[in-house]
Amino acid sequence: MSSSAASPMSGSASSSTGRASGKSSSFVPELQSMMFALGDARRPLHETAALVEDIVHTQLINLLQQAAEVSLLRGARVISPEDILFLMRKDKKKIRRLLKYMVFRDYKSKIIKTIDEEETLETDKFSSSNVNKRQKLAHDFLSSIDQTGEFLALLADDDVDEVKQERLERAEKQTRAMDSAQYSEFCESRQLSFSKKASKFREWLDCSSMEVKPNAVAMEILSYLAYETVAQVVDLALLVKQDMTPKAGDPFRHAISATFIQYHNSTTEVHLQGQTAAVKSNPDSPENTPPSTPTPPVSSAQLLGKPHTLALGNGGLGQETSSKLKQRKRKKSAAACGLEAQSNAIQPAHIREAIRRYSHKIGPLSPFTSAYRRNGMTFLAC
């Protein structure tokens, strides 16, 4: 694997390595909607979404290459879910999240099959291994590599996922100030995923040029991991954005040492004393000149008698001036709203700083860092 593809933030090098030549598909519009549903502003920046697309694409291309290596080692002709689960074996929290997703996919397949066949749901169908193929596949593989019982315990783990819970709480706070149109747009954005555009997703990853191609269930997992990568990038970027936003009540925001204050005050006093002495020694200074003679206030009759009085009535100069001022105020307010919306959105600098902190072994985001590294690359989704 090339070193330029090792880092998702290596600029154009990462894009050129991860993306195939002649690739035309792009997920930037979909990513903007996903980022809005995950906590970004209502109109996420195009450059930010493009940067997130490069990160996700580079991560998945590297993941696919490593899964292909694992499948070749075990003598398989296709990339199966076992190969991806093997790569994720060191991060048990994300394996548990993936297992819950596979259970959900099994239930969805059963419901769709029942609706298509117009049959009622029965308990024996739910328990059949044919229908629960994803759960059975994950159970068989994890039990084959499980020596301590930790992986099998993940299948029966019903603890609350703190990351998912935090995302749900953030979405609930985000919808409090929405009207019906905004909420409808938000719900549509929450339903977007890479799996709903399977052919475009496969083209985006350029799977046709691979010698060892992923099967259908592996593509489901890859689309899930792609969305999880977007969600995690947004989570980390929001933490960085919150960290970079100055707080009014922060006691350390304007912290200045006492020696600096003492030196600054003494220097200012000396400067002011010297300036006062220089002003008093100058006879032409304003301080040594007598005050000017006060002028009487101008009466209203004098103002009315002026030839440059503003015209009153319809079509007058005063009305034209006021209308122009109103138009300028509207333009300024619209520009201010646009700037405010852009300032509230996640910036590319927030994404880059989040990836830098995430990739650093020691730092404020080190507890969230993945346990799996290979060739210098930290994986976000697994």
Side-chain angles (χ1 to χ4, degrees):
M1 203 180 304
S2 60
S3 59
S4 60
S7 173
M9 299 308 300
S10 56
S12 59
S14 65
S15 301
S16 60
T17 347
R19 301 192 178 202
S21 58
K23 176 179 165 307
S24 58
S25 59
S26 174
F27 273 95
V28 170
E30 291 86 353
L31 282 170
Q32 286 179 297
S33 297
M34 292 179 194
M35 292 170 65
F36 167 54
L38 291 167
D40 199 358
R42 190 182 179 190
R43 296 289 180 265
L45 300 179
H46 183 275
E47 53 268 26
T48 307
L51 181 59
V52 173
E53 183 188 27
D54 285 339
I55 294 172
V56 176
H57 188 267
T58 307
Q59 295 260 323
L60 289 183
I61 289 295
N62 280 270
L63 184 62
L64 267 174
Q65 291 174 355
Q66 296 177 26
E69 293 175 6
V70 174
S71 64
L72 289 175
L73 286 175
R74 65 184 184 90
R77 297 182 179 180
V78 294
I79 299 175
S80 301
E82 294 94 329
D83 305 315
I84 303 176
L85 286 170
F86 179 77
L87 293 176
M88 297 178 65
R89 68 191 183 280
K90 294 185 179 180
D91 200 331
K92 295 180 177 59
K93 290 182 179 180
K94 292 180 180 178
I95 284 185
R96 184 184 67 175
R97 200 174 301 157
L98 175 60
L99 292 175
K100 288 185 177 180
Y101 173 75
M102 295 175 77
V103 170
F104 166 76
R105 292 292 300 184
D106 278 338
Y107 275 103
K108 184 177 179 181
S109 300
K110 285 182 287 191
I111 292 172
I112 292 175
K113 185 179 179 181
T114 306
I115 293 174
D116 291 342
E117 295 178 356
E118 295 182 355
E119 294 177 359
T120 57
L121 296 176
E122 297 178 5
T123 310
D124 57 344
K125 289 187 177 181
F126 273 82
S127 60
S128 63
S129 59
N130 244 344
V131 181
N132 297 331
K133 59 178 182 179
R134 297 173 183 84
Q135 299 178 53
K136 186 176 184 303
L137 185 149
H139 181 275
D140 293 344
F141 174 73
L142 292 177
S143 60
S144 65
I145 64 171
D146 194 7
Q147 298 179 353
T148 60
E150 293 177 331
F151 291 119
L152 293 178
L154 295 174
L155 295 169
D157 193 358
D158 292 331
D159 292 341
V160 177
D161 192 338
E162 297 177 358
V163 176
K164 293 285 187 181
Q165 185 68 24
E166 185 177 351
R167 289 174 189 169
L168 290 174
E169 291 176 1
R170 186 168 63 224
E172 193 275 329
K173 292 177 183 178
Q174 198 174 354
T175 56
R176 288 179 184 176
M178 290 183 181
D179 55 19
S180 58
Q182 293 173 350
Y183 185 74
S184 175
E185 181 184 354
F186 181 77
C187 292
E188 291 178 1
S189 300
R190 281 181 61 84
Q191 295 174 9
L192 275 177
S193 64
F194 292 92
S195 60
K196 289 194 172 182
K197 299 188 176 182
S199 58
K200 183 179 178 181
F201 183 66
R202 186 178 286 271
E203 179 190 354
W204 187 61
L205 295 179
D206 197 21
C207 294
S208 59
S209 64
M210 298 181 63
E211 295 180 3
V212 183
K213 298 176 178 59
N215 61 14
V217 182
M219 286 302 298
E220 287 181 3
I221 296 177
L222 288 171
S223 62
Y224 164 78
L225 292 178
Y227 188 86
E228 279 295 305
T229 306
V230 177
Q232 192 163 1
V233 169
V234 172
D235 291 344
L236 300 177
L238 289 174
L239 287 175
V240 172
K241 182 173 176 287
Q242 182 181 0
D243 189 27
M244 289 184 172
T245 304
K247 300 175 181 62
D250 189 0
F252 300 101
R253 183 184 175 191
H254 301 292
I256 304 174
S257 63
T259 55
F260 176 80
I261 295 174
Q262 185 178 2
Y263 171 77
H264 179 73
N265 290 340
S266 61
T267 308
T268 307
E269 288 177 2
V270 171
H271 177 70
L272 289 175
Q273 288 175 2
Q275 189 177 5
T276 305
V279 167
K280 288 186 177 180
S281 62
N282 187 5
D284 296 330
S285 66
E287 191 174 308
N288 293 330
T289 56
S292 59
T293 306
T295 56
V298 183
S299 62
S300 59
Q302 291 175 345
L303 283 174
L304 292 173
K306 296 280 183 181
H308 57 271
T309 305
L310 298 178
L312 301 176
N314 295 331
L317 181 61
Q319 189 174 0
E320 291 179 1
T321 309
S322 62
S323 63
K324 289 181 180 179
L325 288 174
K326 287 180 180 179
Q327 290 177 0
R328 289 177 184 174
K329 286 181 180 179
R330 287 172 185 170
K331 289 181 180 179
K332 287 182 180 179
S333 62
C337 291
L339 290 174
E340 185 180 358
Q342 286 189 354
S343 64
N344 289 334
I346 296 176
Q347 305 292 324
H350 298 147
I351 303 290
R352 294 190 181 95
E353 178 64 16
I355 297 298
R356 187 194 68 82
R357 295 185 187 183
Y358 185 85
S359 303
H360 205 271
K361 294 182 180 179
I362 302 174
L365 297 181
S366 57
F368 306 99
T369 305
S370 173
Y372 178 57
R373 293 171 181 265
R374 186 171 179 183
N375 292 341
M377 181 177 184
T378 306
F379 280 90
L380 289 158
C382 66

